[in-house]
Amino acid sequence: MRKNSKAHQERSVGSTVRVLLLITLLLVVGLLLLAAMLGGKFGPLHQLTLDFIGPLQSVVTRTATGVVNLKNDYVALLDVRDENKKLQAQIDRYLNELGEYREGYSTYRHLQELLEMKEKLTFKPIAARVVGKEPSYWYQTIVVDRGRNDDILEGMIALAPGGVVGQVLHTAENYSKILLANAPSSAIDAMVQKSRIRGILKGAGEKGYVLQYVLKTADVEVGDHIVTAGIGGIFPAGIPLGRISKIEKKQRGMFQEIEVEPSIDFQKLEYVLLDPTDRKSMLDSLNMSPKR
Amino acid sequence: MAIPVIVFWAIGVALIVVQTTLLEHLPVWLARPDLLYVLVAFLAYRFAWIPGIAVVFSLTWMVDVVAGIYMGLYPLACLLAFTALKTMSTKSLLKESTYQIPLVGLSFFLTQIFLYFVSSLLLPDILPEWSWPGSMQRTILVVLSAIPLFVLFNRLNEYLLKRRLRGKAPRRRPPRPL
């Protein structure tokens, strides 16, 4: 019984405290609201609240801005990557086109040179495209797309804008094989253009030519031009062959060893001009056929 | 009761910060849900009078300081809403959770009307024109955001209450030796 009354007392005290607390709270709230609404001033409590919320807002805003910036940067980076890919593709395409244009220009220049040469020649040459090359040291031959159907015969000479290319070695219906002038088995009567000193120009493969049988006393210098001498009847006189690149005078022997750099690059031959004059037959009929 | 009060007060502060910073970046046509109002309604359903009023007043006071033009108006409106919802929930009219969310929407809509009415008396010059579609849109947003927020708040409240009860569990006395 005593316990019950004690509990009852405790409960009533608790509820009284609660009611008092509520009234106090309502009073405080009411006063604050009245002060805020009627006073209309931004008082110290307001300032304190703003100082409390402000830093929190600042942190969140900065973080959000950072995240947004990061996202924007990432998106921009993606755009840059896409753009880069597109530009790279464009560059590839343009480089491809540029290559084609360069090739076209190069072909044009080459054909122009051929045309100029053709106009200078006394005979009417036949232009032939190089379709195959045999670059080994012992053979040094090329195949061109002109043959017997084009009246090409063995022994005819092949020229390029730079000078002598070689001589037709074999012919088929539509193709011919040309022995290049720098082949070891090739020998051409040549002379030094400046001093008119003659010799035999032997093929030396990749080294070009060797001019043989030039006396030690002969006036030759590095850089002198070597042209065909026109003696054997095969090549007309004065066609460029190359330039002297090295002269060696040994103690023994009466001749100089002269290396000649070809005037044309045999590796880059694309077109050649064939002289349709059948010099070989003419020489045969005169019984003057030279030994190759 | 102290820990739930502190926790929900902290959540309220976080909601104010989010509402005044991140949600500001939402497009205007979408409007911004008043997340704090959802918390006010939740506190009305779950908290007792004294802690409820204390938390609601302090939080709405902050909103007022951060974003209010006429000081005291927003806390007053929220306190009135809190009182109305609390009264209804204690009178057992709306204990059913089915009615709680729609009532949040209804009370928010009425709060908007109240705020506009009082503002039209106090600040007639700077008040924009009343927009029914805009008010409806804001109300719908509050209702939509109340659904997940109520679920979260309820779970958190239950967790905090269970922790408190576990802490208060009476220790068993050791049996007296015979």
Side-chain angles (χ1 to χ4, degrees), chain A residues 155-191:
Chain A
M156 287 180 173
I157 61 168
L159 305 170
V164 174
V165 172
Q167 204 174 349
V168 177
L169 191 64
H170 298 123
T171 54
E173 293 295 317
N174 297 306
Y175 296 94
S176 300
K177 192 196 288 178
I178 294 171
L179 179 71
L180 296 178
N182 67 339
S185 55
S186 163
I188 301 168
D189 289 312
M191 65 178 175

Side-chain angles (χ1 to χ4, degrees), chain B residues 52-121:
Chain B
I53 289 174
V55 173
V56 168
F57 178 70
S58 60
L59 292 176
T60 50
W61 173 271
M62 282 181 206
V63 175
D64 209 25
V65 168
V66 173
I69 296 171
Y70 193 86
M71 292 293 153
L73 196 56
Y74 186 73
L76 180 69
C78 284
L79 278 173
L80 287 175
F82 174 83
T83 310
L85 289 172
K86 182 80 196 153
T87 311
M88 279 192 265
S89 65
T90 44
K91 298 275 181 191
S92 306
L93 291 173
L94 293 157
K95 288 237 166 154
E96 286 289 330
S97 58
T98 323
Y99 301 112
Q100 285 179 351
I101 303 279
L103 203 66
V104 173
L106 180 67
S107 64
F108 181 75
F109 190 70
L110 293 173
T111 304
Q112 282 187 97
I113 292 173
F114 170 78
L115 279 172
Y116 192 83
F117 173 70
V118 178
S119 300
S120 66
L121 298 176

Side-chain angles (χ1 to χ4, degrees), chain A residues 56-72:
Chain A
L56 296 175
Q57 285 180 312
S58 171
V59 168
V60 173
T61 305
R62 278 186 194 176
T63 313
T65 311
V67 170
V68 168
N69 285 345
L70 199 72
K71 187 209 101 190
N72 288 345

Side-chain angles (χ1 to χ4, degrees), chain A residues 38-54:
Chain A
L38 299 177
K41 276 169 71 179
F42 202 76
L45 205 58
H46 291 104
Q47 288 168 26
L48 203 70
T49 311
L50 196 58
D51 283 341
F52 168 69
I53 286 283

